[in-house]
Amino acid sequence: MNPETSDKNEPIISSQPAANDDDDNNNTEVKEKQDTKPTLDISTVGKNPDSKTAALPTFCLFVALVSVIGAFENGWNTSVSNVPEKIIRDCKNGQKHVNIGVLPDCLPMENLLWGFAVGSYAIGGLIGGISAGYLQTRFGRIRTLVGNNFSFILGALILGSAVNPGMFIIGRILTGVGSGISTVTVPTYLGEIATVKARGALGTIYQLFLVIGILFTQIIGLLLSSVPGWRILLALTAIPALIQLILLRFCVETPRYLISQNKLDEAQQSLQLLRPGFDVTNEYKEIYDGQQEAETVESRDPEKNPKTKDPKAISSGARKSLSFAQLFRDPMCRKMTIICVTLSAIQQLSGINGVIFYSTSIFSEVFADNAKYATVGVGVINLIFTMVSVILIDRQGRKRLLLASEIGIVVTSILVVLGSIYSINLLVVVAVLLFVSSFAIGLGPIPFLIIPELLPTYGVSAAASLAMGLNWLSNFLVGLIFPVLKDALKNYTFLVFAIITSFGAIFTLLFVPETKGRTLEEIHNENSKDTKNLDSQMKS
């Protein structure tokens, strides 16, 4: 393609086949990729501002807000059973059909069964988190989000019409599957559509909408803690799913995913829609080159791959997504995956969901029947400080906020212990609120945000699945053992979380890189160079 004669509507990187004497011989995958090697169209360069200087275009914000409805669903279903717990499992009429003829008033459950029913949500999250990497690679980010809404809708129908604890658990698992897929796919989508300047803020809004979901379900739970109000509360999770299902029709697939599928024309169109009024030439070329360069590490090394001695065997397509095993054979991806997995586990093992799931019972010793209102206060504090994180994330950076968050959790956990030992109820309440505040400014949002920042497109799906799978497993364990831990350790329960989070702070200080203010490709290139330098030093 000649830039001087090209039409302005042609893609910046064209997928037209290059001239080749062997064009008739194009039935192999390698040859097919070689023929789609792009050429650069510079006809639009300089006419508009560079898209790498864009802040947050309106359409980009719109598709981001549509995607984080999945985060709202996660927050809603995380906390939906908290406030109405007593009315769900221990109402006046039990399983009798008094208020609704065809359905029992409530579902009586003992402590252990109730703990499992609450925790089964995380089992679904584990299933969804592990499978999401494959789904978003196979079907794309948008189609995965579309299909995911049916998990929420079906789960809502089962929860709202449950006639026994078994149905309740199945409904919780289904909504958990939807939330697990969301924890992988939504942060990936946000990271891949975001501008450099707004990537931190966009990444943080996942956690922001999660805590908005928690707060909404707590407030509405106050109004619907009745028979049959609790059924309506559980079934309401279908409404956001239906809204997202409609709005996703107006969203676009991410340019990085489309390039990974060699859909170059669509990728350029997608990027231009996300950056209206900007010249996307440099950003698009950087994304494209980043995915091509990734393939040259081993596949173009004649010593490691003898086939590449033949120039025709060198593929010019984007590198295929890695499997779990391949992820750990790539030195750079292995290092970044370990960082992401560790942060995801620390996020849950800090004890946050012990507070979210059981805040009503924690506050009942201080506020008695008014404990549910204190629980709503926890949701408000969580929301306020998550909003603070949105403001600070691109100013202070990821690492600094993570460290501040982890140190804050350690200190406040110790204060909870001291307040419990010396029966200073006011100190316990204040310490719990400060605990939630500390979590919200860093350890809450950053583990979701940092995965697509540290991992290249070909490694992000597998790494995110592993990280979020472990995140949900840790979530389940905390929700299941917190009541037992509280009974066994009593006043010293939060000391366990202080020790775990202390390890997290040390890990963050030593190993977590700063990603503020750089493009994803710049981050990946630097991480790759650091890994190569470390390997060279170890060999020498």
Side-chain angles (χ1 to χ4, degrees):
M1 180 175 64
N2 186 344
E4 295 180 0
T5 60
S6 64
D7 187 88
K8 290 182 181 179
N9 294 322
E10 287 183 312
I12 292 173
I13 292 184
S14 170
S15 56
Q16 294 297 322
N20 194 303
D21 293 337
D22 299 323
D23 278 346
D24 293 331
N25 217 1
N26 59 359
N27 56 344
T28 66
E29 182 180 351
V30 170
K31 179 68 173 65
E32 194 174 279
K33 287 184 178 179
Q34 186 178 354
D35 283 348
T36 60
K37 186 173 182 179
T39 55
L40 186 64
D41 178 5
I42 61 171
S43 61
T44 61
V45 176
K47 294 186 177 181
N48 292 312
D50 193 318
S51 63
K52 292 170 70 175
T53 66
L56 185 55
T58 302
F59 183 70
C60 187
L61 176 61
F62 167 75
V63 298
L65 292 176
V66 172
S67 73
V68 293
I69 292 174
F72 179 90
E73 289 276 35
N74 186 356
W76 178 280
N77 288 287
T78 294
S79 186
V80 71
S81 61
N82 193 343
V83 172
E85 173 185 345
K86 184 174 177 60
I87 201 70
I88 293 174
R89 71 184 188 112
D90 190 25
C91 67
K92 178 181 178 182
N93 298 312
Q95 283 191 308
K96 295 179 180 178
H97 298 217
V98 176
N99 288 278
I100 307 179
V102 295
L103 298 173
D105 281 14
C106 64
L107 308 173
M109 287 181 254
E110 297 298 325
N111 287 343
L112 185 59
L113 181 57
W114 175 253
F116 180 79
V118 171
S120 64
Y121 171 70
I123 295 177
L126 175 62
I127 296 168
I130 291 177
S131 61
Y134 168 78
L135 293 174
Q136 69 175 19
T137 298
R138 175 69 177 81
F139 300 106
R141 286 48 165 154
I142 289 293
R143 283 196 288 175
T144 298
L145 290 175
V146 169
N148 190 41
N149 284 297
F150 293 101
S151 294
F152 292 117
I153 294 170
L154 183 58
L157 292 174
I158 293 174
L159 285 168
S161 61
V163 297
N164 54 52
M167 280 186 70
F168 184 88
I169 290 169
I170 290 171
R172 289 284 287 170
I173 290 174
L174 283 170
T175 56
V177 169
S179 296
I181 292 173
S182 293
T183 58
V184 174
T185 305
V186 176
T188 300
Y189 186 79
L190 292 171
E192 292 182 349
I193 65 166
T195 62
V196 176
K197 289 184 177 181
R199 195 176 63 244
L202 277 189
T204 308
I205 67 168
Y206 179 89
Q207 182 69 9
L208 177 64
F209 272 72
L210 189 152
V211 301
I212 289 174
I214 291 173
L215 180 59
F216 267 54
T217 193
Q218 289 170 345
I219 294 173
I220 298 175
L222 293 176
L223 304 175
L224 295 177
S225 290
S226 62
V227 179
W230 66 268
R231 291 185 178 277
I232 299 172
L233 178 67
L234 295 176
L236 281 176
T237 190
I239 303 301
L242 289 170
I243 293 172
Q244 187 182 58
L245 203 55
I246 295 169
L247 293 179
L248 281 171
R249 295 180 60 250
F250 305 101
C251 298
V252 295
E253 186 54 83
T254 75
R256 285 178 173 82
Y257 175 76
L258 291 169
I259 289 175
S260 75
Q261 302 299 302
N262 282 323
K263 297 179 179 179
L264 304 182
D265 292 9
E266 291 180 45
Q268 185 237 328
Q269 293 164 9
S270 172
L271 186 60
Q272 191 63 73
L273 284 170
L274 292 166
R275 312 284 189 265
F278 288 88
D279 179 1
V280 298
T281 304
N282 292 329
E283 184 178 4
Y284 186 72
K285 185 176 185 300
E286 186 174 275
I287 296 171
Y288 178 88
D289 289 345
Q291 294 201 35
Q292 312 315 303
E293 289 168 4
E295 192 175 30
T296 67
V297 176
E298 290 188 5
S299 64
R300 299 192 183 190
D301 186 343
E303 298 299 324
K304 295 181 180 179
N305 188 357
K307 293 181 180 180
T308 59
K309 291 179 180 179
D310 179 5
K312 293 181 180 180
I314 298 177
S315 166
S316 62
R319 183 171 179 176
K320 291 184 179 180
S321 294
L322 302 181
S323 66
F324 291 138
Q326 292 169 332
L327 189 69
F328 284 93
R329 287 200 292 266
D330 184 303
M332 190 270 283
C333 286
R334 178 173 62 242
K335 178 181 177 182
M336 296 303 118
T337 298
I338 291 172
I339 291 173
C340 294
V341 165
T342 303
L343 289 178
S344 294
I346 295 295
Q347 183 195 60
Q348 295 300 327
L349 296 177
S350 67
I352 185 61
N353 275 342
V355 175
I356 298 300
F357 287 156
Y358 300 104
S359 57
T360 302
S361 62
I362 290 173
F363 289 140
S364 62
E365 297 177 7
V366 181
F367 298 107
D369 292 339
N370 292 322
K372 57 188 179 181
Y373 299 105
T375 295
V376 174
V378 169
V380 172
I381 292 293
N382 200 359
L383 174 60
I384 290 171
F385 280 88
T386 302
M387 293 174 68
V388 171
S389 179
V390 172
I391 296 169
L392 294 179
I393 190 76
D394 283 315
R395 299 180 185 179
Q396 300 299 321
R398 286 60 160 156
K399 187 166 186 173
R400 185 178 295 181
L401 285 183
L402 261 180
L403 282 171
S405 176
E406 288 161 341
I407 293 170
I409 289 171
V410 172
V411 172
T412 54
S413 295
I414 294 172
L415 290 177
V416 171
V417 171
L418 292 175
S420 301
I421 292 173
Y422 295 104
S423 300
I424 309 173
N425 290 337
L426 181 59
L427 178 59
V428 172
V429 172
V430 171
V432 167
L433 294 177
L434 290 175
F435 179 102
V436 173
S437 305
S438 298
F439 179 85
I441 64 167
L443 197 55
I446 292 175
F448 297 119
L449 152 69
I450 208 166
I451 296 173
E453 289 192 328
L454 294 183
L455 274 297
T457 302
Y458 63 87
V460 70
S461 291
S465 284
L466 282 176
M468 288 300 109
L470 184 58
N471 182 282
W472 281 101
L473 178 60
S474 302
N475 183 327
F476 173 72
L477 291 175
V478 170
L480 185 65
I481 70 171
F482 186 85
V484 178
L485 202 63
K486 194 169 181 292
D487 287 342
L489 298 180
K490 299 189 184 305
N491 296 333
Y492 295 91
T493 303
F494 274 80
L495 192 59
V496 175
F497 302 130
I499 293 171
I500 293 173
T501 313
S502 295
F503 167 77
I506 295 170
F507 181 86
T508 297
L509 181 65
L510 296 178
F511 299 110
V512 177
E514 183 54 73
T515 57
K516 179 186 73 170
R518 291 179 289 166
T519 67
L520 297 181
E521 285 66 37
E522 288 170 346
I523 296 168
H524 303 156
N525 289 337
E526 184 173 327
N527 290 339
S528 182
K529 290 177 184 177
D530 290 344
T531 304
K532 288 178 183 177
N533 292 337
L534 180 61
D535 288 345
S536 299
Q537 291 173 9
M538 293 178 66
K539 290 177 181 179
S540 61

